[in-house]
Amino acid sequence: MGITPIVVAGIILEILVFSDMINIDLEDPEDQAKFNALLKLLAIVFGLLERLPW
């Protein structure tokens, strides 16, 4: 499995944040915590999807 789910989740979240599709200010500590929580959640989802047998 490796680090692929974490990397993909980070790329997707950064695209969503910098295109203003998600309203998160990465300089605000509270929003940084939200970003990190979303990153972890999305990485877990991608990891589970990666483990599904196709």
Side-chain angles (χ1 to χ4, degrees):
M1 191 157 76
I3 63 167
T4 304
I6 298 169
V7 172
V8 171
I11 291 170
I12 290 175
L13 276 179
E14 286 187 17
I15 289 171
L16 292 174
V17 168
F18 291 121
S19 65
D20 288 330
M21 295 180 89
I22 296 178
N23 189 17
I24 292 180
D25 179 15
L26 293 178
E27 295 190 14
D28 180 23
E30 186 175 318
D31 283 349
Q32 287 176 356
K34 289 179 188 177
F35 182 86
N36 287 331
L38 281 172
L39 177 64
K40 291 175 185 177
L41 179 65
L42 199 56
I44 290 170
V45 169
F46 285 146
L48 291 174
L49 287 175
E50 189 175 287
R51 300 303 299 167
L52 287 176
W54 296 107

